[in-house]
Amino acid sequence: MIKESEQNIAHMEYAVRLAKKALGQTHPNPMVGAVIVEGGKVVAEGYHQKSGDKHAEIIALDSYTGTPKADTTLFITLEPCSTEGRTGACTNAIINSGIKHVVIGAVDPNPNHAGAGVKLLESAGISVQVGVLEEACREMNLIFNHWIVENRPLCALKIAMTLDGCMAASTGHSKWITGELARKDVMYWRRLFPAIAVTQNTVSSDNPMLTSRLGDEVSCSRRFVFNRELRDLENYKNYHLFSDEFRSKTIVIYGAKASRDRIEALEGMGIEAWEINESEDKLDMGEFLNRCAEEEISGVFIEPGAKLATHMISNHLADYLYIYQSPKLLMDKKGHSLGRERFSELMDETIQLVDLKRDQFGDDALIRGYLK
C-alpha cells in the first residue's frame, strides 16, 4: 500500500507539471499549479495561465463540484496569496470552500507576505502542511523569486565552453561547442525567460533566431540586440531577428554616442530601440537592466560573447550563470575565454557560484547557480 507521504509527493509532482503548462507565460507572476484530491484521486485542478488571470487555486476550486469530505485536500505549489490584489485573496476562497486540508510546496518568497497565507488558513481551522517538493516548487519560479525580493530582473548568462575554457576559436567561430541535447535544454530556458539578449557580433556571425523550439511549438520572448555603435544596419534585412514573424519583438540597444545618421537609419527601419548611456566605450548594462525593470521585464537570458560575459561577471551585473561544458579541447592560445580584460593574482579573487544545480546532456555537462 502506498504511503501517505508518497501520495503527497505524487500529487504535488502533478501540480508542478500543471504549473509548467504556462512555462514563460505568467511573467511577472509565478507559475502555480493546484489540485484537489479526494480518496487519493484528483477531482479538480487548475494552473495560473497569465498575469491578471485567475490564480491556480481559484481555477481548481471553481471546477470542483462536490462537497468537501473529511479527506478532501488542496495541493498548491506556492503559498496562497492573502491580499486582495486584482483577483482577490486566495486564502479567503479556500476558507469559504470548506476544504480542511491544504498541502503547500513553497512559501511565498516575498518577505512581506511569507507565511501570512499559512497563518490565515490555520487560524480558520485548516490543517496545513508546508514543504512537499519544496525545492522543485521554488526552483521553477527562480525568476519570480528574484524579482519579488530584489525588485529588479534576474540577469542570467548562458555560456558554452570547451574543457579548456574556450567559448569560441580565435576567429570567433563557435558552432558547435555542445551537442544537440545540451542545445535542446537551452530551448527550455529561452522559453522560461521573458527576454533574451545577444550582441551584434553574434547576430552578424551566426544570424540566430533566438526562438524557443520545443517539439513542434515555436515561441519567442522579447529579443534584445546590443549594438552600441549601430553597426551593420545595412544587413539587418537579411537577419532572422529583423525579418521573421517575431520581428516586432526585437529591440536594439544602442549607446548615447551613436551617430545621428545611424540612429535615423534605424528609425527608418521601424525597429524598436532603446538608447542607453555608455561607460568606458561600453554600454551601461546597469542602466539597461534598470530600463528592463521599468518595463516589468522580470528576467533576461543573455547569450554573451567572452568579452561581455567577463564584463558583466566582473562588475557584478549578472545574477545567475548557466555553464554548458563539452569534453573538447580547443587548444587555441588566442581562443575567446572568460577572463578577457581581467587579471587575477590570487585564488582569493575567484568568483564563486552557489546553490548549484548539475545536469548531464549526453557528453556535455551543465552547472548553474547564483553568483555569490
Side-chain angles (χ1 to χ4, degrees):
M1 183 175 179
I2 191 168
K3 296 180 181 178
E4 181 180 351
S5 60
E6 293 174 343
Q7 285 185 332
N8 285 355
I9 290 172
H11 294 317
M12 192 62 76
E13 285 177 339
Y14 182 62
V16 169
R17 291 197 298 273
L18 278 176
K20 288 184 176 181
K21 285 186 175 183
L23 182 68
Q25 299 173 23
T26 63
H27 302 300
N29 287 359
M31 290 182 285
V32 183
V35 295
I36 298 174
V37 175
E38 286 180 356
K41 296 181 179 180
V42 174
V43 295
E45 62 186 51
Y47 65 95
H48 182 50
Q49 297 180 26
K50 66 178 181 178
S51 178
D53 278 9
K54 289 182 179 180
H55 289 186
E57 48 270 59
I58 300 300
I59 296 173
L61 290 169
D62 285 349
S63 64
Y64 177 62
T65 58
T67 299
K69 299 177 174 58
D71 71 336
T72 303
T73 304
L74 172 63
F75 289 79
I76 322 169
T77 57
L78 183 67
E79 179 181 8
C81 63
S82 54
T83 54
E84 288 298 324
R86 287 180 290 179
T87 56
C90 292
T91 48
N92 291 341
I94 296 169
I95 292 168
N96 294 334
S97 74
I99 292 175
K100 295 300 181 182
H101 306 284
V102 175
V103 179
I104 296 170
V107 297
D108 192 327
N110 188 334
N112 296 322
H113 299 286
V118 173
K119 289 180 181 178
L120 282 172
L121 295 178
E122 289 178 335
S123 66
I126 295 174
S127 69
V128 181
Q129 181 180 352
V130 180
V132 175
L133 280 188
E134 180 178 6
E135 183 175 358
C137 292
R138 187 179 65 249
E139 165 71 13
M140 70 176 172
N141 285 314
L142 59 87
I143 297 173
F144 169 77
N145 296 342
H146 183 272
W147 172 257
I148 204 68
V149 173
E150 303 294 340
N151 295 310
R152 60 186 178 83
L154 178 73
C155 179
L157 307 184
K158 188 275 290 185
I159 296 168
M161 63 170 59
T162 60
L163 202 59
D164 51 345
C166 289
M167 296 171 63
S170 55
T171 60
H173 186 260
S174 61
K175 284 188 174 180
W176 294 105
I177 292 176
T178 55
E180 185 175 348
L181 290 177
R183 298 198 299 274
K184 183 177 179 180
D185 185 63
V186 173
M187 296 296 163
Y188 174 87
W189 302 112
R190 283 184 179 178
R191 176 75 59 88
L192 176 66
F193 277 77
I196 306 169
V198 293
T199 64
Q200 180 59 44
N201 285 343
T202 297
V203 175
S204 298
S205 62
D206 296 344
N207 191 16
M209 290 184 283
L210 297 187
T211 53
S212 174
R213 302 173 293 280
L214 293 175
D216 296 329
E217 186 179 356
V218 179
S219 66
C220 185
S221 301
R222 203 173 308 197
R223 304 181 294 195
F224 291 107
V225 176
F226 301 124
N227 190 355
R228 182 172 64 89
E229 297 178 325
L230 292 178
R231 296 180 291 107
D232 201 23
L233 296 182
E234 62 275 11
N235 290 314
Y236 268 27
K237 62 181 180 295
N238 301 319
Y239 298 134
H240 296 300
L241 300 184
F242 305 104
S243 61
D244 67 10
E245 61 183 301
F246 305 111
R247 56 188 175 276
S248 63
K249 291 190 172 186
T250 303
I251 302 172
V252 173
I253 309 299
Y254 67 90
K257 296 180 182 179
S259 66
R260 173 47 51 184
D261 61 328
R262 289 183 180 273
I263 294 174
E264 291 176 354
L266 183 66
E267 292 173 346
M269 297 176 188
I271 297 170
E272 185 177 354
W274 294 357
E275 177 187 300
I276 64 174
N277 288 317
E278 301 179 36
S279 177
E280 298 179 356
D281 295 327
K282 293 181 177 65
L283 291 171
D284 187 332
M285 299 303 291
E287 183 179 327
F288 163 70
L289 293 172
N290 288 338
R291 177 69 184 273
C292 287
E294 292 172 4
E295 299 285 336
E296 288 199 333
I297 298 172
S298 54
V300 185
F301 188 70
I302 302 178
E303 302 186 12
K307 187 175 181 180
L308 178 59
T310 300
H311 171 71
M312 297 200 69
I313 294 170
S314 299
N315 290 279
H316 311 289
L317 294 164
D319 304 298
Y320 202 87
L321 293 188
Y322 295 83
I323 300 179
Y324 294 86
Q325 191 170 47
S326 73
K328 301 173 183 176
L329 297 169
L330 186 60
M331 305 292 283
D332 182 349
K333 69 177 182 179
K334 293 184 179 181
H336 299 183
S337 61
L338 278 180
R340 299 183 78 184
E341 301 184 351
R342 185 177 190 268
F343 298 94
S344 303
E345 296 181 345
L346 302 170
M347 288 302 297
D348 293 344
E349 299 175 64
T350 57
I351 299 169
Q352 187 174 343
L353 293 186
V354 297
D355 194 14
L356 299 180
K357 303 289 185 298
R358 293 181 172 87
D359 287 291
Q360 196 74 28
F361 300 98
D363 293 333
D364 303 317
L366 167 64
I367 181 169
R368 58 186 177 93
Y370 292 92
L371 283 158
K372 187 174 181 180

